[in-house]
Amino acid sequence: MVMKIIGMVVIAYLLGSIPSGLWIGQIFYHKDIRQLGSGNIGTTNTFRELGVTAGIVVLFMDVLKGTLAASQPYLFGISASVNPLLIGLFASLGHTCSIFDHFHGGKAVATSAGILLAYNPELFGVACCFFIGTLLLTSMASCASIVGVSAMFIIALCERDLILSIVAGLLTVVIIWRHKSNIGRILTGKESMVSFGLGHYLKNHKSHE
C-alpha cells in the first residue's frame, strides 16, 4: 500500500509537471510562450498569444493532467483507503513547480479543475458555471479563476466534506497567491481582458465615447 501511494504521488507530480503551453508552443509554433504576453504557460496566455486551437489543446491537456492524477486511487482500487484529492493535489504542485521547467509553472487553475472533475463531477460543473459566468461579466480570466476556485471552497464547506474543504482551501490560497499581480491590475483597472463579455463591451464602448 505504501509503495502504491508513493508511486501515485510521483506519477501525479510528473503528470502535473508537463508544461503543456510551453511544449505546444515550442513544438508546433516554434515560440516560447514564456517570452510572450504575460509570460505564463497556462491556457489564457496560450489563447492570447498562440490562438484558439493552441489554447483549447492546452486547456484540455491541463485539465486531463489533474483528472488522470486524481483518478489513480480509483484505477488501483484503493479509493476507499486513499482519497483521490490528496493524490491529485500533487498534480497541482507539479503544474506550479514543474521539474520540466526549472521548477516554474502555471497557476494551476485548469489542473485543479481536472482534479475536481475526477472526484466530484457535479461540483466541477457548478465551479465551471461560476467561472464562465464571471468571465462573461468581467471579461477577465484571472477574476473568473479566483471566483471559480473560491466557489468550490465555499460549496465544499457547505457540503461538510472535510478533505475536499481542506484541499479546496489550499488550492484557493495557492491560486489567489499566484494571481496576486493580476489582482493588483484588477484593482487599478489595468488587467487584460478577453475579446468578449460585458467587461470587454463596456471598455470598448467607453473608449469610443
Side-chain angles (χ1 to χ4, degrees):
M1 176 70 78
V2 174
M3 292 306 297
K4 278 188 178 181
I5 293 174
I6 293 174
M8 288 189 296
V9 166
V10 172
I11 290 171
Y13 173 76
L14 292 176
L15 281 171
S17 289
I18 296 173
S20 309
L22 177 61
W23 287 359
I24 292 295
Q26 291 177 332
I27 295 171
F28 295 101
Y29 296 83
H30 308 292
K31 295 180 179 180
D32 188 339
I33 192 70
R34 297 170 299 184
Q35 306 301 321
L36 302 173
S38 66
N40 191 269
I41 66 172
T43 301
T44 301
N45 199 40
T46 303
F47 264 109
R48 188 183 298 122
E49 300 299 330
L50 300 182
V52 174
T53 300
I56 291 174
V57 172
V58 169
L59 174 62
F60 176 78
M61 291 179 66
D62 285 350
V63 171
L64 184 61
K65 293 189 304 186
T67 301
L68 290 176
S71 294
Q72 289 184 93
Y74 300 119
L75 297 174
F76 286 108
I78 56 174
S79 58
S81 303
V82 180
N83 192 298
L85 289 171
L86 300 180
I87 302 299
L89 195 59
F90 287 91
S92 289
L93 175 63
H95 186 81
T96 56
C97 301
S98 171
I99 193 173
F100 303 119
D101 189 23
H102 309 289
F103 296 100
H104 295 104
K107 296 176 180 177
V109 176
T111 301
S112 299
I115 296 168
L116 183 61
L117 175 60
Y119 180 75
N120 190 328
E122 293 81 9
L123 183 52
F124 168 81
V126 173
C128 284
C129 288
F130 274 98
F131 176 90
I132 294 170
T134 305
L135 183 62
L136 291 175
L137 284 173
T138 65
S139 300
M140 292 183 284
S142 55
C143 186
S145 297
I146 293 170
V147 170
V149 72
S150 299
M152 179 177 69
F153 175 53
I154 293 170
I155 294 171
L157 288 174
C158 293
E159 291 189 349
R160 298 182 181 180
D161 186 327
L162 179 60
I163 299 299
L164 179 57
S165 298
I166 293 172
V167 171
L170 288 172
L171 290 174
T172 299
V173 170
V174 170
I175 289 173
I176 290 177
W177 173 255
R178 297 286 287 177
H179 281 85
K180 61 183 185 298
S181 59
N182 302 84
I183 293 172
R185 290 193 294 271
I186 290 172
L187 294 176
T188 57
K190 298 179 180 179
E191 178 66 336
S192 299
M193 291 185 175
V194 297
S195 58
F196 58 86
L198 181 61
H200 178 262
Y201 170 78
L202 292 175
K203 182 178 181 180
N204 279 357
H205 183 71
K206 184 177 180 180
S207 65
H208 287 92
E209 288 181 349

